[in-house]
Amino acid sequence: MMKRSKKRGRLVTGVAALCLLCALIFTGSTAFSASVDLRDFDNQGKKIYEANDATPQIYMSADSGDRNLASFYELRQYPGSPPRIPHEVDLTFSGDETDCLSCHARGGYSQEFGKFVPVTPHPENSLCYQCHAQVLTEEKFVETEWKSIMPPRLGRSFLGGSPPPIPHSLQMRENCISCHTGPGAVVEIRVDHSARGNCRQCHAPAVQTTPLQEFVRKP
Amino acid sequence: MKLNRRRFLKYAAASSAVATAGALFPGVSFGNWQNLTNNSGIISWQKAPCRFCGTGCGVLVGVSDGRAVAVKGDPNCSVNKGLCCMKGYHSVQMLYGKDRITTAKVRKNGEMVEVPIKEALDLVAEKLQETKDKHGKDSVAIYGSGQWTIPDGYVASKLFKGCLGTNNVEANARLCMASAVTGFMTSFGIDEPMGCYEDMDHANVFITWGNNMAEMHPVLFSRMLANRKRRTNVTVIDFATRSTRTSQAADKSILFRPQTDLAVANAICYEIIKNDWVNWNFVNEHVSFHKGKTNIGYGTEDHFAFKDKAESINFEEYKLFLEDYTPEKVEKISGVSARDIKYMAALYGDPSLKVTSFWCMGMNQHTRGTWINNLVYNIHLLVGKISTPGNSPFSLTGQPSACGTVREVGTLTHKLPHGVVMKEHHREMAAEIWDVPVSNIDPKPTYHTVEMFRALDRGDIKFIWIQVTNPMVTMPNLRRYRDGALKDGRFVVVSDVYPTPTTDVADVILPAALWVEQEGMFGNSERRTQHFAEIVKPPGEAMSDTWQIIEVAKRLGFEKQFPWTQDDYIGKIWEEYRKFHAGPKHEMASYKVLKERSGVQWPFVNGKETRWRFNPKYDPACTNGKEFDFYGKKDNRAWIWARPYEPAAESPDSEYNFWLNTGRVIEHWHTGSMTRRIPVLHNAVPSSYVELNPEDAAELGVVNGEMVKIISRRGEVTMPAQIKGRGVPPRGMVFVPFFDESYLINEVTLDAFCPISKQADYKKCAVRLEKA
Amino acid sequence: MPIFSYLAMPKSGAKEVLCADLAALSNCEVIPSDNQEVVVLVTDTPDETTEDKLQKSLNNLQSLQSLSLAFGYDDQEKQ
């Protein structure tokens, strides 16, 4: 998926004198080390580091202004719902990695749409149609009284200039880099310091599903 | 007070307008309304080192109307170059917790009663004098911390060692980096890292030894990642007992069984010698070989005593010693494959790669902490990768002034600001600078931290003054020491900023100034001394720990030794203290220079900071005319030590079948008495938990959030399970963050320690689990 | 020494201008809404004369549609 093996390749050429060891690097670790799946904890935190390493600096700092929050939420029924597919899809597309992910895994400029492509934060889920619906008609079957909740407010820093906390759940949105950097990012939530690579060093998750509680010492 | 009141009114005015707007305009939002920064520009920014870990980030504290309102990274500080972590960015909020201690309290008929601070200080002085007269000088003690400012620790040492004549001066840094100190002393004869953070911009390989830097030293970690991204030839290896964010970020994660880092380090040396990756020019010129005692015990019994004895050996003897540590043999002990051991050895051994090793509590909180420090130095010394940019065995610290106050001022029982109490010329120097008779300074060390609290329990110590630390959460085998502190006839004085389990056992509570509410200095991991001014006023009657000690010293009749006034004491104390370190090996910057700069590295000689010690290109103390000068040791060499693998004090068995490992999370610092009062940090991690391996959890039949009882031979605690959360321990291990006073995990831990450093091991003891 | 807070409504489309205008006045703090055309203004003046001057300056602002008082405090009367 990411350019991991490529990077290792570079390392190995750096250690050419020790070519005997190359095999070790690729064959990986002992049973003891392998007992933990490094992708599978801390909200799949490994994704951020991998994406940070794999995304070129120039891409991260690029900004197209193509997407904004209004259009972002327009595609969603409520904050956090899977967005609808806002463009026509070729009838032959099966909705798997060979077609959707060919653009949405990496981003970049799409000649066809004349825009920069948004990057999915969860490319490991390759059955895209499972959640993302096409739009064949805008007409409703019956009008609805559905009302969405308000999206999280922007700029919820606790102090002037302090890093804002993460206002959304990280489930399915583990990879900060994909939505918050690059030319496909939503302009209002784009960050200009993505190269720091360890997003959660400064940004604490603060998803308030229950009323905010202060720490009170038990007597 | 008037300013504060006015500010409050403005806050009320703003909030009522926001509320009105909310009623008139549904859904209206005011993103930044809480920052009542005066946007006509009155906010002022002043430099300070961060209050939390030993990284020593420079921050700028924004002040409006006399209150700290914001933080930004100090771009002038080379440590962090303008970046902080979430704790640093929100640190000013810790000043304003609702339950801040602002008045003194004294226990009267079992109840804590507020009294004027003068009355409380009178009582402290009276009790101290009375206890000393009745039970002798060694019945009184002071216990401080690596969060003491340098002046705090200096006046504590001067009063207790110089004036009262007792060596009962210890600090929690004993529990945090004593093994790092003994590691430096035994390998190099002089304390503190030879390198500096700039090593990160040169190294090709980073190996983190039991060190979850992504959470514990995040600002340094992201500098490492930035280097990996910018330069194509950087590799990060995480060598640890548990999978963490650091493992996720690393290019390779290697897990070892607890305690077996000793064996792996020796196996790396075995491989280096076997493949002849030894840097012979360096070893022949600059290294000598030694061995010490073995089977050295664990210190779990009272009055435990141990003294190591160094014996010279030759290279052949050292090589023979390593025969027990072939990668294949060590694979069986450690669970690390022989291939991974060879891989790490090859990285250290490749002459074209610059290697930096980082470690902190994993290696220091270790019953063989001194040994494992020695062994990692061995690796760097064999290949000569030391004291040059990028080649750096780097011992990190966890507290803002563990180096500055505890190691440099010497607030440990055997230490003086320069040297040790055992040496006559060191005592003479201290007596002269302190203006006390040399006979005052006792040549015999008394109690190290664990033994000090044992002495309090036994009744050998009857008066203890605890400042800036929370031992009633952090002492291992906690119950014994809490019960001991509560016994009749013990008088406990606690200086702190918030109520904690330690203030709960106090007879006197003194309100302390916190961080930038006082002037002071910290010293970080890379020999950097950092001055901060009093930026905001302390609340109520709170005063600095330094001034509390001075007030008591004056009451005890030591006006001559403590002649300073509240206007100028910090500068005067600094200039007096600085005399101890005169000379090119440890020269400190003047008060004036410290005030101007965002931290200054010592040795500061002729206006120049020393970035790499022992290397004559950078270090003016080198005089031997060679490529390196390890001037700390009498033989002018760095010492390689033959130190064997010995098992932990307590290992899992059929009854207690799990390892218990304890530590921190990025959000909280130490016992959380500060960070839990910062809303954003508390919201992110509101309570502690026990991390389980998913398979162990399945076997136990618990899912996320269900309660698990953790039982050891010493105590038990019941807390919620966390599976696949922040970290994942391997099968057979559980991990518990210790910040939460509601779950006192240290009632479960073991008070075994390294016999050389006397630092306790919080990372290894045996427990069993029950579904609660 | 009065402290007042107001809801300030900008003329259509002039929120940014209004914020800049208000911030340029001394004794004023401005908290703009993120998502609607309304600004909270907090004024804190040392004495009556300054307060009068400020009121005049506010009345003269081109970008300001209306100002409604939300909170008022004046410790002059109590002292």
Side-chain angles (χ1 to χ4, degrees):
Chain A
M1 170 193 86
M2 296 301 174
K3 296 172 188 160
R4 208 62 183 162
S5 50
K6 212 169 179 182
K7 177 155 173 69
R8 290 245 164 92
R10 277 203 305 272
L11 160 76
V12 171
T13 44
V15 203
L18 312 166
C19 53
L20 249 183
L21 293 162
C22 297
L24 309 180
I25 300 165
F26 288 105
T27 43
S29 42
T30 61
F32 190 61
S33 281
S35 65
V36 173
D37 181 356
L38 291 178
R39 280 162 199 289
D40 195 25
F41 65 89
D42 196 23
N43 294 298
Q44 304 183 18
K46 194 167 172 54
K47 272 188 188 175
I48 303 174
Y49 302 117
E50 288 185 331
N52 179 58
D53 243 15
T55 315
Q57 181 65 48
I58 188 155
Y59 185 85
M60 275 192 195
S61 52
D63 183 9
S64 70
D66 274 354
R67 284 166 88 203
N68 59 36
L69 268 186
S71 61
F72 180 87
Y73 284 120
E74 211 173 86
L75 297 175
R76 287 154 174 85
Q77 305 303 299
Y78 54 87
S81 85
R84 302 190 296 176
I85 301 169
H87 55 74
E88 274 188 38
V89 180
D90 194 296
L91 275 177
T92 64
F93 271 25
S94 61
D96 66 15
E97 62 252 66
T98 53
D99 29 63
C100 300
L101 284 176
S102 66
C103 292
H104 289 289
R106 272 149 211 265
Y109 188 74
S110 160
Q111 288 290 351
E112 188 184 351
F113 293 98
K115 277 183 171 188
F116 281 90
V117 180
V119 182
T120 175
H122 48 254
E124 69 282 3
N125 295 301
S126 52
L127 194 61
C128 310
Y129 289 166
Q130 176 180 328
C131 302
H132 299 279
Q134 298 185 46
V135 183
L136 297 185
T137 171
E138 286 288 358
E139 274 173 39
K140 293 189 182 72
F141 181 58
V142 178
E143 281 304 310
T144 172
E145 293 191 342
W146 162 257
K147 275 189 191 138
S148 173
I149 51 167
M150 291 289 287
R153 271 198 291 111
L154 292 181
R156 300 194 330 176
S157 299
F158 276 67
L159 299 171
S162 79
I166 303 166
H168 58 75
S169 152
L170 291 178
Q171 191 181 358
M172 304 300 284
R173 284 172 287 177
E174 301 90 358
N175 181 5
C176 316
I177 309 275
S178 69
C179 299
H180 292 277
T181 74
V186 176
V187 287
E188 291 93 334
I189 59 169
R190 219 184 130 262
V191 296
D192 52 12
H193 56 264
S194 49
R196 289 171 181 176
N198 190 15
C199 312
R200 292 174 301 167
Q201 166 183 330
C202 298
H203 302 280
V207 185
Q208 281 155 21
T209 48
T210 50
L212 192 139
Q213 288 185 340
E214 284 175 13
F215 168 64
V216 183
R217 261 201 107 207
K218 285 178 194 148
Chain B
M1 281 316 285
K2 194 156 186 203
L3 277 176
N4 283 342
R5 180 172 145 73
R6 231 174 147 70
R7 194 177 180 284
F8 170 77
L9 283 166
K10 279 163 83 173
Y11 199 80
S15 58
S16 90
V18 168
T20 313
L24 296 174
F25 305 90
V28 69
S29 115
F30 293 86
N32 292 317
W33 82 275
Q34 280 180 329
N35 336 327
L36 256 189
T37 55
N38 193 325
N39 51 12
S40 52
I42 298 177
I43 195 165
S44 78
W45 296 96
Q46 288 189 64
K47 75 169 173 85
C50 179
R51 176 62 179 74
F52 298 115
C53 78
T55 301
C57 294
V59 301
L60 295 171
V61 178
V63 180
S64 175
D65 277 355
R67 279 172 69 99
V69 293
V71 175
K72 51 185 185 183
D74 180 353
N76 293 323
C77 182
S78 67
V79 171
N80 55 317
K81 301 178 178 176
L83 182 63
C84 301
C85 78
M86 60 169 85
K87 290 187 293 299
Y89 279 119
H90 297 98
S91 54
V92 290
Q93 289 185 300
M94 77 186 160
L95 301 172
Y96 302 111
K98 228 179 188 170
D99 54 349
R100 186 69 196 271
I101 300 172
T102 57
T103 54
K105 294 189 180 76
V106 165
R107 196 174 294 277
K108 290 182 178 165
N109 303 319
E111 290 290 311
M112 293 307 282
V113 184
E114 285 190 9
V115 297
I117 193 163
K118 283 201 159 46
E119 191 185 318
L121 290 164
D122 288 344
L123 179 67
V124 171
E126 186 192 314
K127 272 282 172 187
L128 204 165
Q129 188 69 52
E130 184 191 308
T131 312
K132 184 178 169 236
D133 292 346
K134 226 164 142 185
H135 303 284
K137 64 184 178 62
D138 289 336
S139 65
V140 300
I142 189 159
Y143 182 63
S145 86
Q147 302 154 62
W148 255 347
T149 66
I150 291 173
D152 292 343
Y154 182 75
V155 294
S157 180
K158 185 173 183 179
L159 174 61
F160 278 75
K161 295 194 172 209
C163 300
L164 299 172
T166 177
N167 286 324
N168 283 346
V169 178
E170 273 285 300
N172 70 354
R174 172 75 75 178
L175 307 172
C176 154
M177 32 91 315
S179 303
V181 178
T182 49
F184 276 113
M185 295 310 288
T186 47
S187 292
F188 303 99
I190 188 169
D191 191 22
E192 298 199 26
M194 53 289 298
C196 60
Y197 298 151
E198 212 185 305
D199 284 316
M200 282 187 280
D201 305 330
H202 300 278
N204 308 107
V205 178
F206 294 93
I207 301 190
T208 55
W209 289 73
N211 183 203
N212 180 12
M213 272 179 92
E215 291 198 75
M216 306 319 153
H217 297 91
V219 170
L220 300 181
F221 190 71
S222 57
R223 183 161 168 184
M224 203 160 98
L225 294 187
N227 265 288
R228 182 172 73 178
K229 183 149 182 66
R230 196 173 59 243
R231 301 187 278 135
T232 52
N233 54 349
V234 174
T235 305
V236 179
I237 311 286
D238 180 45
F239 182 62
T241 58
R242 157 180 169 257
S243 302
T244 63
R245 274 188 188 173
T246 306
S247 328
Q248 289 181 325
D251 295 275
K252 187 169 172 65
S253 150
I254 300 174
L255 290 179
F256 63 93
R257 294 198 183 98
Q259 190 82 0
T260 65
D261 43 357
L262 297 160
V264 176
N266 276 330
I268 290 173
C269 290
Y270 172 89
E271 274 293 299
I272 287 170
I273 291 173
K274 188 183 151 219
N275 293 291
D276 202 22
W277 291 327
V278 176
N279 181 338
W280 286 109
N281 285 338
F282 182 87
V283 168
N284 290 336
E285 282 289 329
H286 303 296
V287 172
S288 56
F289 294 86
H290 303 266
K291 69 173 183 183
K293 291 186 185 168
T294 55
N295 287 318
I296 61 177
Y298 300 97
T300 46
E301 63 278 14
D302 280 36
H303 303 296
F304 172 88
F306 172 80
K307 201 170 181 320
D308 201 17
K309 194 168 167 289
E311 265 180 71
S312 282
I313 55 173
N314 60 32
F315 175 75
E316 288 306 319
E317 287 169 276
Y318 174 66
K319 197 177 156 190
L320 195 67
F321 157 81
L322 289 177
E323 292 291 318
D324 286 343
Y325 299 96
T326 67
E328 290 72 22
K329 284 180 192 166
V330 170
E331 173 173 333
K332 293 201 184 84
I333 307 171
S334 65
V336 182
S337 72
R339 286 185 306 187
D340 283 349
I341 293 171
K342 289 174 183 174
Y343 173 55
M344 284 201 285
L347 292 174
Y348 279 109
D350 183 340
S352 72
L353 297 175
K354 293 179 182 150
V355 188
T356 290
S357 305
F358 279 116
W359 67 91
C360 198
M361 290 308 115
M363 268 170 52
N364 292 345
Q365 291 179 338
H366 193 310
T367 49
R368 295 292 177 266
T370 310
W371 287 9
I372 185 63
N373 273 268
N374 292 147
L375 294 177
V376 174
Y377 293 131
N378 288 357
I379 302 174
H380 282 266
L381 290 171
L382 278 179
V383 294
K385 293 189 182 180
I386 194 163
S387 290
T388 46
N391 285 320
S392 192
F394 207 112
S395 161
L396 296 166
T397 46
Q399 299 190 82
S401 201
C403 285
T405 305
V406 181
R407 292 160 77 160
E408 292 159 29
V409 176
T411 55
L412 296 169
T413 183
H414 64 292
K415 283 274 294 161
L416 287 167
H418 180 86
V420 290
V421 295
M422 294 82 88
K423 293 207 170 132
E424 196 177 359
H425 62 282
H426 293 155
R427 293 198 300 278
E428 281 167 358
M429 180 189 204
E432 197 196 319
I433 294 173
W434 284 347
D435 196 10
V436 296
V438 69
S439 58
N440 263 25
I441 304 173
D442 194 323
K444 223 176 143 258
T446 51
Y447 309 112
H448 57 84
T449 294
V450 171
E451 199 56 32
M452 183 180 264
F453 280 90
R454 287 176 184 168
L456 183 69
D457 176 38
R458 292 193 302 262
D460 299 339
I461 289 175
K462 296 198 184 300
F463 172 102
I464 189 167
W465 187 350
I466 298 167
Q467 289 194 321
V468 227
T469 183
N470 192 3
M472 294 302 132
V473 176
T474 53
M475 285 301 292
N477 191 10
L478 177 61
R479 190 173 297 169
R480 172 176 180 193
Y481 303 115
R482 193 181 48 235
D483 291 349
L486 286 167
K487 279 183 181 165
D488 278 349
R490 313 291 186 277
F491 196 81
V492 180
V493 180
V494 178
S495 306
D496 213 331
V497 296
Y498 287 111
T500 66
T502 306
T503 60
D504 288 349
V505 304
D507 297 288
V508 174
I509 300 172
L510 297 171
L514 170 54
W515 191 35
V516 294
E517 293 167 352
Q518 63 197 323
E519 186 184 358
M521 299 90 174
F522 286 155
N524 81 349
S525 292
E526 54 156 7
R527 295 177 277 110
R528 185 176 298 279
T529 314
Q530 300 160 298
H531 172 271
F532 52 101
E534 181 182 307
I535 296 176
V536 293
K537 290 260 169 273
E541 288 207 285
M543 61 171 70
S544 73
D545 297 277
T546 310
W547 195 254
Q548 291 176 11
I549 293 172
I550 293 172
E551 286 282 344
V552 169
K554 287 182 171 171
R555 283 165 169 76
L556 293 170
F558 301 111
E559 288 93 349
K560 197 175 84 168
Q561 285 80 12
F562 298 86
W564 311 295
T565 69
Q566 235 170 326
D567 301 325
D568 64 359
Y569 67 117
I570 298 296
K572 295 264 168 68
I573 289 171
W574 177 260
E575 290 302 336
E576 180 182 309
Y577 162 60
R578 200 156 78 89
K579 292 180 195 163
F580 280 97
H581 293 313
K585 290 180 189 173
H586 204 315
E587 185 78 44
M588 309 291 268
S590 70
Y591 178 63
K592 184 172 168 285
V593 170
L594 286 181
K595 276 180 82 162
E596 286 163 0
R597 300 196 192 175
S598 300
V600 181
Q601 269 187 306
W602 62 263
F604 184 71
V605 184
N606 299 326
K608 257 186 91 181
E609 300 175 67
T610 303
R611 287 179 302 164
W612 288 276
R613 288 201 292 175
F614 311 136
N615 182 334
K617 276 189 219 149
Y618 306 95
D619 183 351
C622 294
T623 52
N624 64 352
K626 295 182 182 173
E627 210 179 338
F628 295 93
D629 184 358
F630 292 96
Y631 48 74
K633 287 285 192 191
K634 280 208 180 97
D635 63 359
N636 264 50
R637 284 165 182 264
W639 287 18
I640 280 181
W641 285 86
R643 303 286 203 190
Y645 163 72
E646 287 179 6
E650 187 180 73
S651 301
D653 53 27
S654 55
E655 191 183 355
Y656 295 93
N657 55 344
F658 276 83
W659 287 107
L660 169 65
N661 182 4
T662 67
R664 294 211 297 108
V665 291
I666 186 171
E667 286 83 358
H668 290 298
W669 196 74
H670 278 200
T671 60
S673 56
M674 291 179 288
T675 48
R676 297 187 90 193
R677 286 166 174 89
I678 296 175
V680 66
L681 303 177
H682 172 67
N683 292 159
V685 184
S687 66
S688 187
Y689 49 80
V690 52
E691 266 177 17
L692 295 161
N693 183 282
E695 291 173 51
D696 288 330
E699 232 163 65
L700 198 64
V702 294
V703 299
N704 249 332
E706 283 189 316
M707 299 302 270
V708 175
K709 191 189 270 189
I710 308 164
I711 308 154
S712 77
R713 292 180 176 87
R714 295 153 296 280
E716 59 180 56
V717 60
T718 303
M719 57 199 309
Q722 195 186 76
I723 298 148
K724 295 187 184 181
R726 191 62 59 83
V728 177
R731 289 212 69 174
M733 181 196 285
V734 294
F735 174 85
V736 177
F738 70 92
F739 68 84
D740 188 344
E741 63 182 58
S742 312
Y743 303 108
L744 289 172
I745 191 61
N746 279 316
E747 294 197 347
V748 179
T749 54
L750 175 66
D751 52 350
F753 51 78
C754 168
I756 301 174
S757 70
K758 325 291 193 250
Q759 176 168 356
D761 187 334
Y762 290 87
K763 307 290 188 189
K764 297 168 214 89
C765 74
V767 296
R768 65 188 162 86
L769 307 178
E770 281 174 15
K771 188 176 171 176
Chain C
M1 293 170 75
I3 293 176
F4 293 110
S5 72
Y6 307 90
L7 293 184
M9 253 64 75
K11 294 215 167 107
S12 177
K15 192 172 97 181
E16 297 300 315
V17 183
L18 176 64
C19 287
D21 287 349
L22 290 173
L25 299 173
S26 40
N27 312 104
C28 286
E29 287 190 26
V30 184
I31 308 163
S33 159
D34 309 336
N35 57 357
Q36 299 205 27
E37 293 287 293
V38 59
V39 174
V40 166
L41 170 67
V42 182
T43 65
D44 173 9
T45 46
D47 50 54
E48 287 299 320
T49 340
T50 326
E51 180 64 31
D52 287 345
K53 262 195 211 158
L54 177 63
Q55 289 294 340
K56 273 196 193 124
S57 320
L58 287 173
N59 285 333
N60 289 335
L61 285 183
Q62 290 299 316
S63 52
L64 183 66
Q65 174 81 31
S66 72
L67 206 57
S68 56
L69 186 67
F71 175 98
Y73 170 83
D74 191 348
D75 59 3
Q76 212 66 40
E77 296 144 38
K78 287 178 201 154
Q79 276 176 358

